[in-house]
Each structure stands twice: as C-alpha cells, then as structure tokens.
C-alpha cells in the first residue's frame, strides 16, 4: 500500500550544500593554515579580481538610473490572497532574527529589483537569517500566518525569480556564508547556501581543487542560487550539469543528512579542462569553432587566459548598457544554433538596437539577446511568441540554463507536455500546500 504523505510544515529551502570539487592537476597545491571559515561579504576579494557585480542603478547610482516599472504594471499578474505583514508579524520576526529584520525603504530598493532591471517588487520586509534553525522558524511562522516569502541569493538571476512580484517577504541568504567543512582527499565541500561562488572557488583552489561551476556572476551569486537554478556556465562542457556534482542538500525542515537527502555521483579527480565561449562572426568560423571545441576539447589550466574570459563574462553586463534587454536562453540543435540570430536581425530591422547570440556551444545553449533603448510592447510582440514557436519547431527548450522564474513560466508549455506540468503542480502542492514559497514563479499561470 502506498503511504499517504501529509506534510506538517513547508519543506523547501536549500540550506547546506555538499558537492564534489574536482582536483586540478595543474593547480598548485598550497599549505593552508588560515581560519576554517570564509569571511562574510567584503572579507574576500575575487580570485580574478572581478569582485561583486555592480548592477546599474544599485546603491548610489539608483538616484540617477531610470525607475524600473513595477512588475504588476508591466505583466498581467494578480496578487494572491496572502496576508499582509502587520506590526505583530514584525515583532515576531524580530524575535526570530534579532536586529536582522530590514524595513528601511532605501535598503529595500535594490533587493526589490532584478539584476537586469526589468522587474520590480514592492516588498517592505527583508530578513537575514544566519542559520538553518532561523530559516526553519521563519518559514514555520510564515506558513502559519499565510505570508508569502521570496528566497534571494545574490539576486543575479535572469528570469525575475529572485525578486518579489508584490509584497512577499524577502529572505536573503547573504549572512549564511560559512564553509562548514572541506575534505582535501575526496574534494567534498559542505557549505551554507549563501556562500558566494567566487569565494568558494578561491577557497578550493587554495587547496588544489577546482569548483565544477564558473559563470560571469560569480562575484555576486550564491551557491544556493546556483543550485536552485541548476546553473550551467562556463565549465559545463568539462564537468557536466551542476546537479551531477551536488551530493546532498539540507532542506528546511525535514531533510537532514542521512535521512533521505538527495545525493548524486562523485566526480572523479581528473585533469582540469575548461569549456570555451563561442562568438562566431561567420558560418565558417562557427564550423571551425565547433570542430575544435567539440571534438578535441581545450586542454588548458582553469583560467589560463583571464583577459579572454573576462571579456566573455562581461558580455551580459555590456549589453545591459544599451538600455532594455530582451533575453532568451534557448537549447537548440547544434546545427541550427545560430540561425535564429540572423533570422531575427532581418525580421526586426532597425526596431532593435542589437541582436546578439552567444553562449555555450557544449550544451547547445544559445543566449539570444535583443537590445533597445527602452522596453517596447510592440517589439516584444514581434519577438514573442515567434522566438518560442521557432524553438519548439526545432524541438528545443525555451529555458536552457537560466530557469523559468517569473518571466518564462508561461512559456513552459512550448517545451513540456501538459502531463509534465500537472506533475510539477502536484509536487509543488505536496511540498508547499499553501503556495507561500516564491509564488507567481516557475509554474504557468494556467495549466
Ligand atoms: C553576468 C551574469 C552572467 C551569468 N551567467 C550565467 C551562466 O553562464 N550560466 C547560468 O546558468 N546562469 C548565468 N547567470 C544567471 C544565473 O542564474 C545566476 O547568476 C545564478 O545562478 C543565480 O544565483 P543567485 O545567488 O544570484 O540567485 P538569485 O538570483 O538570488 O535567485 C535565483 C533563484 O533561486 C532562488 N534561490 C536563491 N537562493 C535560494 C535558496 N537558498 N533556496 C531556494 N531557492 C533559492 C531564488 O528565489 C530565485 O528563484 C548569469 C547572471 C549574470 C548576471
């Protein structure tokens, strides 16, 4: 007989991450006698000196940057009947995370806006837990009070998943930034969800290992956000999907080590290699690049060409200076990977400032970016659903590595059958019966 599972409390939160790091044959092994914990934000600079990404409009620049339109004013979305945070709630939350309940409107400005500056929520409360226990208490309280919450890591996501849509409480992992253990033979790293990827990279490289994940947002993104979005990135071709190197997750409140945590395979130590960026200027160079990278691989030390990689990693940021970026992250058959770029250039003509395609050849992932001075509903109408129909026509995927978040949830049907969507809904309802956990995201509005 099948057991009838009745969740007593919400079970959904990445807290503690366990993963296999890869021993880098060419990375110098150093003796280490420092502290056993990675310092908090600001304590460590990036390995390659990139540091945290500066978002347009963040901090002091915010007064000069154009205001981002509130999400419900741009997108057709209605607030669900969650409770509104009251003074009593604030007092209760203050009891759970003393001194770490943020209500200052100025401090809340940046976490309410996504990195691309395309969506804006109106949350009035941000919480900064330090421990799993605090996260568990917060979620239990919010579940009881029917308050919606929005987990936030480095807030570098591309699909509006990390920012509230309305007034959800933002639960930031910024202070959950401790390495809990590292095994220098197996390469198993255990850390909190809020560790910044670049700090982790530096930490393991000092011990002769390589993180199996690297991406342009590394100076800001958190490992919890990486795992939540199953980020792909620049080492995908060499080390495969991030999920393949995640050994376990502690999920609040019921998933504890040794009792049903998901686990995955260990990555065996092997010589370090990296995948490469691909920005062809012509069909010939494209074919040549494909041959070189796909069949031969690029054996080189991780980060042996830092300037080249720095250029690659800044493409996203550079494009955002054009104004508004219509961003697509598609999986396509390799032999059609770049066709949509030329097609769209012809279709859009001067109505777009730039149509650019780049990305990750190794996993058939095209980052298609169309830029314009400002958001235009008519340009959007020319792009969508055309881009999604074109992708579906190739049996591709409308989301390769950035996830669905808020902005892509309603196009999931182009890549998944109704049965799969229904199953996803059932799983979500099982883990989050009141739907308070990051509502308005991932699942389509209509089945
Ligand atoms: C310059 C740049 C380059 C990028 N390059 C790549 C790339 O090469 N490959 C790629 O895949 N992506 C890339 N991205 C996007 C990528 O998804 C994010 O950078 C990163 O993985 C998200 O991490 P984050 O900590 O910023 O998460 P956030 O943006 O804060 O959150 C992302 C999602 O995860 C959820 N989340 C965050 N933390 C937790 C948690 N602890 N528990 C549960 N849910 C959580 C959030 O609610 C949200 O839905 C890039 C982004 C930028 C800005």
């Amino acid at each position: 007989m099948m057991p009838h599972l009745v969740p007593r409390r919400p079970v959904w939160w990445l807290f503690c991450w366990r993963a296999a790091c890869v021993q880098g044959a060419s990375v110098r092994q150093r003796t280490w006698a420092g502290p056993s914990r990675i310092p908090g934000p600001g304590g460590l600079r990036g390995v390659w000196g990139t540091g945290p990404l500066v978002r347009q409009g963040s901090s002091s620049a915010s007064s000069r940057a154009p205001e981002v339109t509130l999400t419900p004013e741009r997108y057709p979305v209605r607030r669900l009947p969650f409770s509104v945070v009251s003074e009593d709630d604030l007092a209760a939350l203050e009891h759970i995370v003393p001194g770490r309940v943020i209500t200052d409107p100025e401090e809340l400005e940046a976490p309410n806006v996504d990195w691309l500056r395309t969506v804006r929520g109106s949350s009035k409360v941000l919480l900064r837990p330090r421990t799993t226990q605090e996260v568990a208490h917060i979620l239990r309280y919010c579940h009881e009070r029917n308050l919606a919450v929005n987990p936030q890591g480095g807030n570098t996501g591309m699909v509006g998943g990390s920012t509230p849509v309305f007034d959800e409480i933002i639960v930031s992992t910024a202070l959950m930034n401790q390495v809990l253990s590292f095994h220098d033979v197996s390469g198993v790293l255990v850390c909190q969800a809020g560790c910044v990827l670049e700090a982790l990279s530096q930490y393991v490289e000092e011990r002769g290992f390589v993180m199996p994940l690297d991406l342009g947002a590394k100076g800001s993104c958190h490992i919890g956000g990486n795992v939540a979005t199953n980020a792909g990135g620049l080492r995908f071709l060499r080390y495969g999907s991030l999920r393949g190197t995640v050994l376990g997750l502690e999920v609040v409140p019921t998933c504890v080590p040794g009792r049903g945590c998901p686990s995955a395979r260990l990555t065996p130590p092997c010589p370090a290699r990296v995948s490469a960026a691909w920005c062809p200027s012509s069909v010939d160079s494209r074919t040549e690049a494909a041959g070189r990278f796909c069949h031969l691989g690029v054996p080189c030390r991780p980060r042996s060409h830092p300037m080249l990689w720095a250029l690659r990693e800044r493409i996203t940021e550079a494009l955002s200076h054009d104004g508004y970026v219509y961003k697509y992250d598609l999986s396509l058959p390799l032999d059609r990977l770049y066709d949509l770029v030329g097609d769209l250039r012809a279709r859009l003509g001067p109505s777009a400032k730039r149509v650019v395609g780049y990305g990750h050849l190794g996993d058939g992932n095209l980052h298609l970016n169309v830029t314009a001075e400002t958001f235009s509903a008519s340009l959007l109408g020319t792009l969508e659903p055309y881009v999604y129909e074109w992708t579906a026509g190739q049996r591709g995927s409308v989301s390769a590595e950035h996830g669905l978040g808020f902005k892509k949830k309603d196009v999931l049907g182009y890549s998944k059958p109704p049965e799969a969507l229904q199953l996803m809904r059932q799983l979500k309802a099982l883990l989050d019966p009141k739907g308070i956990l990051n509502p308005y995201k991932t699942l389509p509005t209509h089945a």
Side-chain angles (χ1 to χ4, degrees):
M1 199 178 94
M2 288 289 290
H4 184 202
L5 297 175
V6 184
R8 283 181 302 160
R9 289 175 295 185
V11 279
W12 187 79
W13 192 271
L14 306 176
F15 150 66
C16 169
W17 184 72
R18 230 169 251 269
C21 298
V22 184
Q23 189 139 32
S26 52
V27 177
R28 198 156 53 94
Q29 179 84 48
R30 289 183 218 152
T31 318
W32 179 78
S36 62
R37 298 190 148 191
I38 283 187
L44 267 186
R45 283 290 107 200
V47 192
W48 304 104
T50 52
L53 283 169
V54 179
R55 296 189 307 168
Q56 292 178 43
S58 62
S59 64
S60 59
S62 62
S63 49
R64 294 189 303 275
E67 181 100 318
V68 179
T69 308
L70 281 170
T71 305
E73 287 175 13
R74 176 167 292 167
Y75 294 89
V77 54
R78 285 223 311 267
R79 190 183 183 282
L80 293 170
F82 298 113
S83 305
V84 174
V85 180
S86 66
E87 287 300 321
D88 285 351
D89 292 326
L90 289 179
L93 293 168
E94 179 63 33
H95 192 67
I96 298 171
V97 281
R100 285 168 283 134
V101 178
I102 313 300
T103 53
D104 175 4
E106 215 168 294
E107 273 193 75
L108 283 161
E109 219 174 280
N112 264 305
V113 177
D114 70 323
W115 188 85
L116 287 168
R117 296 184 60 75
T118 53
V119 286
R120 180 157 72 97
S122 43
S123 177
K124 294 179 175 49
V125 186
L126 180 145
L127 307 175
R128 291 197 179 121
R130 282 205 182 98
T131 64
T132 326
Q133 286 72 23
E134 288 180 345
V135 175
H137 287 149
I138 290 168
L139 289 192
R140 196 174 312 141
Y141 182 82
C142 290
H143 178 70
E144 280 160 16
R145 279 278 300 122
N146 195 33
L147 290 163
V149 298
N150 183 138
Q152 189 173 89
N155 195 12
T156 66
M158 294 276 151
V159 286
S162 52
T163 45
V165 176
F166 292 95
D167 55 349
E168 299 88 271
I169 294 174
I170 301 171
V171 181
S172 164
T173 52
L175 299 183
M176 299 180 72
N177 57 1
Q178 305 297 311
V179 168
L180 303 176
S181 69
F182 179 69
H183 195 279
D184 63 4
V185 175
S186 65
V188 173
L189 173 75
V190 182
C191 67
Q192 287 186 300
C195 287
V196 172
L197 176 61
E198 191 170 40
L200 288 179
S201 278
Q202 178 167 2
Y203 181 91
V204 301
E205 281 176 21
E206 282 169 357
R207 290 155 182 78
F209 285 78
V210 179
M211 286 294 282
L213 172 73
D214 188 23
L215 49 97
K218 61 176 167 284
S220 300
C221 63
H222 297 181
I223 196 69
N226 300 147
V227 175
T229 57
N230 194 27
L234 307 172
R235 292 181 182 162
F236 186 97
L237 184 58
R238 180 63 190 88
Y239 300 119
S241 167
L242 180 59
R243 279 192 190 141
T245 50
V246 174
L247 301 179
L249 297 172
E250 255 182 8
V251 182
V252 170
T254 55
C255 181
V256 291
R259 275 203 274 146
C261 282
S263 61
R265 72 180 168 84
L266 275 163
T267 308
C270 51
R273 287 179 176 206
V274 293
S275 61
W278 178 59
C279 295
S281 55
S282 70
V283 172
D284 283 351
S285 63
R286 174 182 69 186
T287 319
E288 194 190 315
R292 226 175 22 238
F293 294 137
C294 280
H295 303 309
L296 303 176
V298 187
C300 57
R301 291 197 317 278
R303 297 292 163 175
S304 59
H305 306 290
M307 287 306 291
L308 184 65
W309 283 109
L311 283 174
R312 162 61 181 86
E313 289 169 355
R314 294 276 156 157
I315 298 173
T316 314
E317 196 177 344
L319 287 169
S320 70
H321 288 276
D322 269 0
Y324 191 90
V325 187
Y326 302 82
K327 211 166 238 315
Y328 301 94
D329 162 50
L330 313 165
S331 281
L332 292 166
L334 276 185
D335 58 350
R336 303 294 315 269
L337 194 67
Y338 207 65
D339 292 359
L340 187 54
V341 177
D343 182 320
L344 276 183
R345 280 183 186 148
R347 184 178 167 86
L348 299 177
S351 62
K353 205 166 177 181
R354 227 183 288 263
V355 180
V356 178
Y358 67 97
H360 309 274
L361 179 65
D363 44 320
N365 173 191
L366 175 74
H367 290 330
L368 172 69
N369 288 251
V370 178
T371 69
E373 298 267 335
T374 53
F375 173 79
S376 146
S378 80
L379 181 52
L380 183 65
T382 317
L383 284 166
E384 298 177 16
Y386 180 78
V387 167
Y388 299 122
E389 285 169 353
W390 196 96
T391 304
Q394 306 302 320
R395 298 178 62 79
S397 169
V398 294
S399 174
E401 63 169 13
H402 291 165
L404 297 161
F406 173 73
K407 291 198 278 183
K408 300 287 157 71
K409 68 186 168 111
D410 285 324
V411 296
L412 184 55
Y414 285 99
S415 304
K416 296 281 177 208
E419 296 77 16
L421 300 185
Q422 188 52 28
L423 192 59
M424 289 168 73
R425 281 182 192 289
Q426 287 168 354
L427 285 170
K428 165 80 172 165
L430 186 71
L431 299 175
D432 177 20
K434 288 188 178 176
I436 62 161
L437 301 171
N438 221 0
Y440 322 105
K441 315 278 172 65
T442 306
L443 288 165
T445 315
H446 306 290

